[in-house]
Amino acid sequence: MNTLNFVIVGHVDHGKSTLIGRLLYDTNALPTDRVEELKAACNALGRELEFSFITDHLQEEREQNVTIDTTQIKFKTQNRDYTIIDAPGHKEFLKNMMTGASQAEAAALIVDAKEGVQEQTRRHASIIALLGIKQVVVLLNKMDLVEFSKERFDQLKAQTETFFKTLDMTPAHIIPIVAKDGDNCANPSTRMQWYSGLTFLEALDQFTIKEKPTNKPLRYSVQDVYKVGEKRILVGRVEAGVLKSGQKITFLPSNKQTVVKTIEVFGNEGKKEAEAGECIGITISDPLFIERGEIACAVEQPPIIAQKIESNVFWFSSKNFEKKDKITIKLATQEASCRVEQLERIDSSTFEVIEHDATQLCPTEIGRFVLIPEKPIVIEDFNEVEELGRFVLELNGEAAGGGIVVSKQDKA
Amino acid sequence: MDHLDILENKSIHIIREAYKQFHQLGLLWSIGKDSTTLLWLCRKAFFGNLPFPVIHIDTTFKFPEMYTFRDHWAKEWKLNLIISKNQEALDRGIGYATHDAITCCDELKTKALKQLIAQKKFKAILVGIRRDEHGIRAKERVFSPRSENFTWNYKNQPTELWDQYNSSAESSDHMRIHPLLHWTELDIWEYIKRENIPINELYFAKNGKRYRSLGCMPITKPIDSTATTVDAIIAELKTTKTAERAGRSQDKETAYAMQKLRSLGYM
Ligand SMILES: Nc1nc2c(ncn2[C@@H]2O[C@H](COP(=O)(O)OP(=O)(O)O)[C@@H](O)[C@H]2O)c(=O)[nH]1
């Protein structure tokens, strides 16, 4: 059975960990001894059973009741398997939140109904938007603290819809819940008769698992070259389309044409076809010099070979970026040093432009970068082939920003 | 691609990234089902010939069946097998009869690995841990840097976006690489079945008991089970409500033992 990966985000203390604990409990996903361990841990700290302890495993997380790092947990419904990615809500831990969110294909944004939308609520929403996660559900939690009020719900719902609109997104559902007691989480609530929509689990079951871009033109990223006996095998991954033995291909950006001689998979000799997502090896008909970073493409349908990359980047490093700094782009297996031609600073919680022509970018801000790589880079529009439309920026060897390629780019 | 294909391909991608970034690479083989599955995936990634050594940290307290299994498959698969012990600690008489599990684990596993890494100058080690084994492991990265004294800085882990893995964590001594992080125990058994991977006989029930997880003999307890085949194990796992490592006593000594062990460098 296939798995849907979804991330739960939101401001600290709005109830992410409690919700996850509750979901696991209500779907019978917890081993008995884990529940016992949990009770013991709560006892040791002199507290009643806290559902949030199921995901907050680090000692510091429990003592301070705050999630520090992202966690992944599995559970299942009758329909399918899920991986829940718990992402910390503190500003300080945004990079961990992003690590978690980058693995997700759907997101649940949790908002405390009493406190309302907060700074991290908006920032997390903008990261979700930036990462291209389009399946979103909003959970208005702690409805017990606002007397299960429909008026409060309607007011928050309107507010949430407005700020999602500025991100060009529409949440699929907005659901009133009580994570602590399980209302509208796995089971419908009896305390909010005015609500006739879906429970959180029902909403999740309606999301779709992302299909691999099998119906797009072939893109095969070369990871490495192995010498096996007399063969030179180019190992890599089909990022998009289908690769067939006998097929004509062009390696880009070096622009070398050849034909796929064989597909090499250990224990599956004579394989004729490999589709998006498969990690294989190939041999080619001509003695070409090919290295990691080349992308083998369908001859008739080349990708964009960019001299200039326009992108939106979330800056999660704890250091400022100076426009004059050299940074390294890592996109699929390609890697290149870049200079920055243009930089616009955006506040990730208000979505407002701070500076149009900026010379620096600060932690947690979004930068609109125009990057000039030292050599051409093969890219795709993020909405066409994600695998070639997203990248990491490294500053001094450390991952510092994550971004996606935007709009149609100039072809080289 | 089905569910197992997706898992397999992701692991092979990680293994090949690891080898591209770190030629001084080793695979930690505990002889259990997970690291044997990892070894199987590595053989696939490199077309049958591993370009790096396989490491067995021998505490000398393993089950006899584990040693037999190790020697048989090391030969069959032509592995470059490094067997490593903390001889100095064994000479001092460290053992389960006289010392607690955490001390034994630290001295006989962690220190033995530390000595080996220093001696052979390994830059990265492939380890077959999974997120679903324990809450702490759920927080791991695929590429996870370790300091010289093996500490895992779990409060400040590197960002890992999509499948771009950070290779140059400068302050770190070596990298732990976790190609099975996204698998569950059930996935492993379903894959073992599909691929027909050889698995130690201790996992199958004899006289109503089987081992669900293999560690050192004195601290590994069998579970009640009648599962004598891979199919029966899969059926059993689909209904069980006990955690996999429940038979491993070191995890339970305190609620945070695992975190302590991990920050000390335990795998
Ligand atoms: N009254 C009430 N309290 C809740 C609810 N959900 C969570 N809480 C409490 O809110 C606090 C923060 O929850 P937690 O799950 O740790 O938040 P996180 O930081 O988003 O993971 C805890 O004390 C919870 O017990 C709810 O539905 N109602």
Side-chain angles (χ1 to χ4, degrees):
Chain A
M1 209 189 296
N2 284 340
T3 307
L4 181 93
N5 300 309
F6 73 92
V7 64
I8 302 193
V9 297
H11 196 81
V12 63
D13 273 352
H14 283 198
K16 284 182 301 294
S17 308
T18 306
L19 172 66
I20 295 170
R22 190 73 219 193
L23 269 187
L24 295 175
Y25 191 75
D26 289 347
T27 55
N28 260 331
L30 291 177
T32 0
D33 51 350
R34 179 100 23 114
V35 179
E36 291 310 315
E37 190 208 26
L38 205 68
K39 282 185 182 150
C42 291
N43 265 335
L45 294 172
R47 289 226 203 102
E48 56 179 308
L49 183 65
E50 267 282 352
F51 282 107
S52 65
F53 277 24
I54 292 165
T55 55
D56 290 346
H57 265 281
L58 301 173
Q59 190 162 2
E60 293 82 349
E61 292 184 331
R62 286 186 183 170
E63 281 166 3
Q64 298 162 23
N65 208 4
V66 39
T67 309
I68 293 174
D69 204 353
T70 177
T71 303
Q72 297 195 10
I73 306 162
K74 316 248 175 185
F75 79 100
K76 56 178 83 220
T77 65
Q78 285 99 315
N79 283 2
R80 64 174 167 223
D81 293 358
Y82 286 97
T83 304
I84 313 178
I85 304 167
D86 181 19
H90 248 283
K91 187 169 175 181
E92 204 184 321
F93 307 126
L94 271 171
K95 64 187 188 116
N96 297 338
M97 178 271 176
M98 208 154 158
T99 295
S102 81
Q103 306 301 321
E105 46 210 319
L109 178 69
I110 193 164
V111 183
D112 184 320
K114 193 160 177 211
E115 285 195 7
V117 170
Q118 301 288 312
E119 181 185 340
Q120 295 315 311
T121 315
R122 284 194 297 263
R123 189 166 275 126
H124 284 183
S126 72
I127 292 176
I128 293 301
L130 189 140
L131 291 172
I133 300 171
K134 300 202 172 64
Q135 310 188 92
V136 180
V137 49
V138 175
L139 304 169
L140 301 179
N141 186 30
K142 307 196 191 178
M143 288 300 292
D144 57 320
L145 299 183
V146 296
E147 281 93 46
F148 306 99
S149 153
K150 181 175 186 312
E151 287 67 41
R152 179 64 181 154
F153 174 78
D154 288 338
Q155 178 197 6
L156 275 175
K157 181 168 186 264
Q159 197 185 338
T160 319
E161 280 168 344
T162 315
F163 90 77
F164 267 101
K165 210 165 275 162
T166 60
L167 292 170
D168 225 2
M169 293 206 323
T170 316
H173 303 278
I174 298 181
I175 306 173
I177 66 166
V178 182
K180 190 166 66 74
D181 303 331
D183 297 61
N184 289 335
C185 298
N187 302 302
S189 173
T190 51
R191 301 188 284 185
M192 288 174 277
Q193 298 296 351
W194 48 264
Y195 176 77
S196 57
L198 303 184
T199 64
F200 178 41
L201 263 198
E202 288 166 341
L204 281 179
D205 274 345
Q206 291 197 342
F207 285 149
T208 54
I209 295 175
K210 216 182 285 169
E211 299 277 330
K212 284 279 172 194
T214 308
N215 56 357
K216 296 276 158 80
L218 171 68
R219 309 288 182 244
Y220 176 72
S221 60
V222 176
Q223 263 185 299
D224 207 345
V225 183
Y226 299 161
K227 188 118 191 347
V228 179
E230 289 308 300
K231 287 183 190 161
R232 270 174 68 80
I233 300 180
L234 310 179
V235 298
R237 181 166 62 194
V238 182
E239 307 288 1
V242 178
L243 185 143
K244 299 184 173 126
S245 66
Q247 178 179 7
K248 261 203 215 161
I249 51 172
T250 311
F251 285 97
L252 293 168
S254 69
N255 202 17
K256 294 171 186 156
Q257 258 199 37
T258 184
V259 171
V260 177
K261 198 160 132 195
T262 56
I263 293 178
E264 301 286 337
V265 173
F266 185 65
N268 188 0
E269 284 69 27
K271 186 176 166 77
K272 292 283 174 244
E273 260 188 39
E275 62 178 47
E278 287 191 70
C279 289
I280 56 167
I282 59 171
T283 60
I284 50 177
S285 299
D286 303 280
L288 302 177
F289 177 71
I290 302 294
E291 293 179 286
R292 176 183 172 90
E294 293 284 332
I295 314 282
C297 299
V299 175
E300 306 299 331
Q301 295 148 299
I304 303 160
I305 304 169
Q307 315 269 19
K308 193 186 257 200
I309 302 167
E310 286 176 41
S311 59
N312 287 335
V313 175
F314 184 84
W315 195 254
F316 50 73
S317 168
S318 57
K319 299 182 190 92
N320 285 359
F321 171 72
E322 302 291 332
K323 193 179 165 194
K324 59 180 187 329
D325 290 343
K326 279 250 189 276
I327 41 177
T328 302
I329 186 171
K330 289 172 85 176
L331 190 153
T333 54
Q334 307 173 96
E335 199 172 323
S337 172
C338 299
R339 73 183 172 80
V340 175
E341 188 180 79
Q342 212 181 316
L343 177 63
E344 186 176 71
R345 267 173 83 189
I346 295 164
D347 183 316
S348 60
S349 74
T350 60
F351 322 128
E352 275 162 15
V353 175
I354 305 170
E355 212 177 338
H356 276 296
D357 192 9
T359 54
Q360 65 168 13
L361 189 68
C362 302
T364 78
E365 291 174 357
I366 292 174
R368 292 227 168 93
F369 280 81
V370 177
L371 298 165
I372 310 287
E374 64 184 351
K375 59 181 187 202
I377 296 274
V378 173
I379 59 171
E380 295 273 13
D381 195 308
F382 179 82
N383 294 315
E384 294 292 319
V385 182
E386 263 178 42
E387 286 73 6
L388 293 175
R390 62 191 185 199
F391 58 85
V392 166
L393 291 180
E394 282 190 357
L395 185 66
N396 306 324
E398 258 180 49
I404 63 168
V405 168
V406 294
S407 71
K408 281 290 170 205
Q409 308 272 330
D410 295 338
K411 295 216 174 187
Chain B
M1 292 203 293
D2 68 16
H3 165 65
L4 293 176
D5 294 328
I6 293 171
L7 297 173
E8 177 191 64
N9 279 288
K10 183 164 175 164
S11 298
I12 290 178
H13 185 260
I14 294 166
I15 292 163
R16 287 175 173 165
E17 285 297 290
Y19 181 62
K20 181 70 206 174
Q21 322 266 18
F22 302 100
H23 271 60
Q24 283 152 294
L25 182 66
L27 162 63
L28 208 53
W29 187 29
S30 71
I31 330 292
K33 65 185 190 320
D34 300 313
S35 60
T36 304
T37 300
L38 178 56
L39 178 51
W40 184 268
L41 287 161
C42 286
R43 294 184 74 245
K44 281 200 165 188
F46 300 103
F47 303 95
N49 299 302
L50 292 201
F52 45 76
V54 171
I55 302 161
H56 181 226
I57 300 295
D58 185 7
T59 60
T60 73
F61 290 97
K62 302 291 175 189
F63 294 85
E65 291 88 340
M66 293 170 76
Y67 295 107
T68 317
F69 183 90
R70 177 192 74 190
D71 295 337
H72 176 83
W73 290 102
K75 195 165 161 227
E76 181 82 22
W77 288 334
K78 302 189 177 62
L79 305 178
N80 170 8
L81 179 68
I82 301 177
I83 298 168
S84 185
K85 295 178 196 170
N86 183 354
Q87 196 56 53
E88 178 274 325
L90 290 166
D91 291 345
R92 268 193 291 132
I94 303 282
Y96 290 94
T98 45
H99 295 76
D100 65 275
I102 291 188
T103 307
C104 291
C105 196
D106 184 43
E107 290 281 347
L108 302 178
K109 281 178 90 164
T110 312
K111 289 225 172 95
L113 180 61
K114 263 185 211 176
Q115 291 163 1
L116 184 74
I117 288 179
Q119 185 203 341
K120 303 266 181 186
K121 305 203 163 38
F122 282 114
K123 281 288 156 211
I125 306 284
L126 294 164
V127 189
I129 64 165
R130 306 186 326 266
R131 285 202 179 95
D132 74 329
E133 279 176 80
H134 193 283
I136 295 288
R137 291 189 168 176
K139 306 223 176 224
E140 269 286 6
R141 298 289 186 268
V142 177
F143 276 43
S144 179
R146 290 294 189 284
S147 72
E148 201 167 346
N149 50 13
F150 267 32
T151 42
W152 176 42
N153 189 355
Y154 51 77
K155 276 186 261 179
N156 188 20
Q157 298 204 69
T159 317
E160 206 163 72
L161 292 189
W162 305 300
D163 39 23
Q164 294 293 348
Y165 306 111
N166 202 324
S167 53
S168 53
E170 269 167 25
S171 54
S172 71
D173 175 71
H174 73 278
M175 198 66 90
R176 294 278 171 86
I177 296 170
H178 304 134
L180 298 183
L181 211 52
H182 54 294
W183 295 59
T184 64
E185 184 185 14
L186 184 59
D187 295 332
I188 294 280
W189 282 107
E190 287 177 340
Y191 188 68
I192 286 170
K193 177 183 166 180
R194 183 180 95 172
E195 301 281 307
N196 214 356
I197 303 174
I199 283 301
N200 202 301
E201 62 196 272
L202 293 165
Y203 285 104
F204 301 100
K206 276 197 202 89
N207 307 320
K209 300 258 182 211
R210 74 173 192 92
Y211 290 90
R212 194 165 158 197
S213 161
L214 297 180
C216 285
M217 245 185 324
I219 55 163
T220 308
K221 300 281 168 280
I223 57 164
D224 291 332
S225 168
T226 53
T228 54
T229 61
V230 175
D231 281 313
I233 291 175
I234 291 172
E236 179 187 284
L237 287 177
K238 284 185 172 161
T239 54
T240 186
K241 285 273 280 176
T242 20
E244 177 180 11
R245 300 176 66 90
R248 300 262 209 124
S249 53
Q250 88 231 15
D251 286 2
K252 289 201 295 198
E253 288 189 356
T254 79
Y256 300 115
M258 192 73 176
Q259 183 181 353
K260 261 185 224 147
L261 283 169
R262 280 190 75 65
S263 60
L264 285 171
Y266 169 70
M267 302 63 85

